[in-house]
Amino acid sequence: MVSALLVAVPVAADTRIGVVDLRQALFSSEDARAFSEQLQRDFAGTEEEVRKAQQEARDLQERLQKDGAMMNESEREQLTQEFQRKAQEFAQKKQQLDQTLNSRKQTFLDDARPEVDAAVKELMEEHDLDIILPSETVVTVKPELNLTDELLEKLNQ
Protein backbone atom coordinates (compact mmCIF):
# COMPACT_ATOMS: atom_id res chain seq x y z
CA MET A 1 0.00 0.00 0.00
CA VAL A 2 2.86 2.40 0.81
CA SER A 3 4.45 1.68 -2.56
CA ALA A 4 1.15 2.47 -4.30
CA LEU A 5 1.05 5.84 -2.56
CA LEU A 6 4.65 6.56 -3.50
CA VAL A 7 3.86 5.85 -7.16
CA ALA A 8 0.66 7.96 -7.09
CA VAL A 9 2.34 11.08 -5.69
CA PRO A 10 4.72 11.65 -8.65
CA VAL A 11 1.91 11.03 -11.13
CA ALA A 12 -0.26 13.64 -9.41
CA ALA A 13 2.63 16.10 -9.38
CA ASP A 14 2.96 15.83 -13.17
CA THR A 15 -0.73 16.43 -13.80
CA ARG A 16 -1.37 19.82 -15.38
CA ILE A 17 -4.64 21.36 -14.22
CA GLY A 18 -6.62 24.42 -15.21
CA VAL A 19 -9.73 25.95 -13.68
CA VAL A 20 -12.63 27.80 -15.31
CA ASP A 21 -15.78 29.44 -14.00
CA LEU A 22 -18.16 28.18 -16.66
CA ARG A 23 -21.15 30.21 -15.48
CA GLN A 24 -19.19 33.46 -15.34
CA ALA A 25 -17.70 32.93 -18.79
CA LEU A 26 -20.98 31.87 -20.37
CA PHE A 27 -23.16 34.54 -18.80
CA SER A 28 -20.60 37.29 -19.48
CA SER A 29 -20.37 36.38 -23.15
CA GLU A 30 -21.72 38.56 -25.92
CA ASP A 31 -24.22 35.84 -26.85
CA ALA A 32 -25.56 35.82 -23.30
CA ARG A 33 -25.90 39.60 -23.25
CA ALA A 34 -27.78 39.51 -26.57
CA PHE A 35 -29.97 36.69 -25.24
CA SER A 36 -30.73 38.67 -22.07
CA GLU A 37 -31.64 41.79 -24.05
CA GLN A 38 -33.91 39.70 -26.29
CA LEU A 39 -35.62 38.21 -23.24
CA GLN A 40 -36.22 41.68 -21.84
CA ARG A 41 -37.78 42.79 -25.12
CA ASP A 42 -39.87 39.64 -25.50
CA PHE A 43 -41.25 39.68 -21.96
CA ALA A 44 -41.47 43.38 -21.11
CA GLY A 45 -45.25 43.37 -21.54
CA THR A 46 -45.71 40.21 -19.50
CA GLU A 47 -43.48 41.52 -16.71
CA GLU A 48 -45.54 44.71 -16.65
CA GLU A 49 -48.74 42.64 -16.31
CA VAL A 50 -47.21 40.73 -13.40
CA ARG A 51 -46.13 43.96 -11.68
CA LYS A 52 -49.59 45.45 -12.23
CA ALA A 53 -51.32 42.39 -10.73
CA GLN A 54 -48.92 42.50 -7.77
CA GLN A 55 -49.57 46.20 -7.18
CA GLU A 56 -53.34 45.74 -7.41
CA ALA A 57 -53.17 42.95 -4.81
CA ARG A 58 -51.01 45.14 -2.53
CA ASP A 59 -53.42 48.06 -2.89
CA LEU A 60 -56.36 45.85 -1.94
CA GLN A 61 -54.45 44.43 1.01
CA GLU A 62 -53.54 47.91 2.24
CA ARG A 63 -57.13 49.04 1.86
CA LEU A 64 -58.29 46.03 3.88
CA GLN A 65 -55.78 46.76 6.63
CA LYS A 66 -56.51 50.46 6.67
CA ASP A 67 -60.28 50.56 6.21
CA GLY A 68 -61.35 46.99 7.02
CA ALA A 69 -62.33 47.77 10.60
CA MET A 70 -64.68 50.53 9.45
CA MET A 71 -66.42 48.43 6.76
CA ASN A 72 -69.49 46.38 7.33
CA GLU A 73 -69.02 42.61 7.13
CA SER A 74 -70.26 42.16 3.55
CA GLU A 75 -68.00 44.95 2.22
CA ARG A 76 -65.02 43.50 4.07
CA GLU A 77 -65.80 40.00 2.79
CA GLN A 78 -66.20 41.27 -0.78
CA LEU A 79 -62.90 43.17 -0.58
CA THR A 80 -61.19 40.11 0.94
CA GLN A 81 -62.41 37.93 -1.93
CA GLU A 82 -61.27 40.50 -4.47
CA PHE A 83 -57.86 40.61 -2.79
CA GLN A 84 -57.62 36.82 -2.86
CA ARG A 85 -58.52 36.77 -6.58
CA LYS A 86 -55.87 39.39 -7.35
CA ALA A 87 -53.26 37.62 -5.24
CA GLN A 88 -54.02 34.35 -7.01
CA GLU A 89 -53.90 36.08 -10.41
CA PHE A 90 -50.50 37.55 -9.52
CA ALA A 91 -49.17 34.17 -8.35
CA GLN A 92 -50.34 32.43 -11.52
CA LYS A 93 -48.90 35.09 -13.83
CA LYS A 94 -45.62 35.14 -11.91
CA GLN A 95 -45.33 31.36 -11.96
CA GLN A 96 -46.08 31.21 -15.69
CA LEU A 97 -43.53 33.94 -16.44
CA ASP A 98 -40.88 32.23 -14.29
CA GLN A 99 -41.47 28.88 -15.98
CA THR A 100 -41.27 30.41 -19.45
CA LEU A 101 -38.10 32.35 -18.62
CA ASN A 102 -36.48 29.28 -17.05
CA SER A 103 -37.36 27.22 -20.10
CA ARG A 104 -35.85 29.79 -22.47
CA LYS A 105 -32.71 30.05 -20.30
CA GLN A 106 -32.32 26.28 -20.26
CA THR A 107 -32.67 26.20 -24.04
CA PHE A 108 -29.95 28.86 -24.30
CA LEU A 109 -27.67 26.82 -22.03
CA ASP A 110 -28.34 23.63 -23.99
CA ASP A 111 -27.64 25.40 -27.28
CA ALA A 112 -24.43 26.96 -25.92
CA ARG A 113 -23.09 23.72 -24.46
CA PRO A 114 -21.32 22.43 -27.61
CA GLU A 115 -19.58 25.79 -28.10
CA VAL A 116 -18.48 25.90 -24.46
CA ASP A 117 -17.23 22.31 -24.61
CA ALA A 118 -15.24 23.04 -27.79
CA ALA A 119 -13.71 26.18 -26.24
CA VAL A 120 -12.71 24.26 -23.10
CA LYS A 121 -11.14 21.55 -25.26
CA GLU A 122 -9.17 24.22 -27.15
CA LEU A 123 -7.90 25.62 -23.83
CA MET A 124 -6.80 22.15 -22.78
CA GLU A 125 -4.82 21.70 -25.96
CA GLU A 126 -3.35 25.23 -26.01
CA HIS A 127 -2.13 24.95 -22.40
CA ASP A 128 -1.24 21.24 -22.65
CA LEU A 129 -3.49 20.44 -19.68
CA ASP A 130 -4.58 17.05 -18.44
CA ILE A 131 -7.74 18.30 -16.79
CA ILE A 132 -9.84 21.46 -16.46
CA LEU A 133 -11.95 21.70 -13.35
CA PRO A 134 -15.02 23.89 -12.80
CA SER A 135 -14.24 26.61 -10.26
CA GLU A 136 -17.14 25.49 -8.06
CA THR A 137 -15.17 22.36 -7.16
CA VAL A 138 -11.96 24.19 -6.28
CA VAL A 139 -11.30 25.85 -2.93
CA THR A 140 -8.54 28.13 -4.20
CA VAL A 141 -6.49 28.48 -7.35
CA LYS A 142 -3.43 30.36 -8.47
CA PRO A 143 -4.37 33.16 -10.87
CA GLU A 144 -2.28 31.67 -13.68
CA LEU A 145 -4.34 28.46 -13.51
CA ASN A 146 -7.67 30.29 -13.78
CA LEU A 147 -8.57 30.24 -17.48
CA THR A 148 -12.00 31.87 -17.21
CA ASP A 149 -11.00 35.07 -19.04
CA GLU A 150 -9.48 33.04 -21.88
CA LEU A 151 -12.64 30.94 -22.09
CA LEU A 152 -14.73 34.12 -22.30
CA GLU A 153 -12.51 35.40 -25.13
CA LYS A 154 -13.03 32.15 -27.04
CA LEU A 155 -16.79 32.30 -26.53
CA ASN A 156 -16.85 35.86 -27.87
CA GLN A 157 -14.97 34.96 -31.07
Side-chain angles (χ1 to χ4, degrees):
M1 186 166 146
V2 171
S3 63
L5 285 174
L6 292 175
V7 171
V9 171
V11 171
D14 292 342
T15 303
R16 296 187 34 88
I17 299 174
V19 175
V20 294
D21 186 334
L22 294 170
R23 292 186 71 77
Q24 178 186 347
L26 182 59
F27 288 112
S28 298
S29 71
E30 292 171 8
D31 286 347
R33 281 190 227 125
F35 171 75
S36 180
E37 290 169 4
Q38 185 64 46
L39 274 184
Q40 287 177 343
R41 286 190 297 272
D42 290 351
F43 292 98
T46 306
E47 287 176 341
E48 182 58 36
E49 287 178 27
V50 170
R51 277 192 293 275
K52 182 180 176 189
Q54 181 182 32
Q55 187 59 49
E56 289 172 353
R58 281 184 184 156
D59 291 347
L60 288 170
Q61 184 180 30
E62 287 174 11
R63 186 170 164 215
L64 264 172
Q65 289 173 345
K66 180 180 174 186
D67 301 332
M70 294 182 278
M71 294 179 179
N72 66 42
E73 190 174 327
S74 66
E75 289 176 321
R76 189 172 41 255
E77 187 174 311
Q78 183 179 3
L79 191 58
T80 300
Q81 288 175 358
E82 188 178 347
F83 163 70
Q84 290 171 343
R85 278 193 303 274
K86 282 294 177 185
Q88 185 176 15
E89 176 187 339
F90 162 69
Q92 287 173 340
K93 286 183 177 190
K94 176 85 169 101
Q95 181 180 19
Q96 185 177 17
L97 176 62
D98 289 346
Q99 287 174 343
T100 304
L101 288 173
N102 288 337
S103 174
R104 293 271 299 265
K105 288 176 184 177
Q106 188 60 50
T107 299
F108 172 77
L109 292 173
D110 292 344
D111 291 347
R113 187 65 193 203
E115 183 183 357
V116 171
D117 289 346
V120 169
K121 190 173 184 174
E122 281 181 40
L123 284 174
M124 272 186 88
E125 292 170 4
E126 288 173 5
H127 292 275
D128 191 30
L129 300 172
D130 297 311
I131 188 169
I132 293 182
L133 298 172
S135 64
E136 301 86 40
T137 63
V138 178
V139 175
T140 186
V141 64
K142 291 180 180 178
E144 62 268 16
L145 297 178
N146 187 340
L147 306 174
T148 304
D149 290 339
E150 288 182 53
L151 178 59
L152 178 57
E153 286 177 28
K154 289 192 176 298
L155 293 175
N156 285 336
Q157 290 178 350

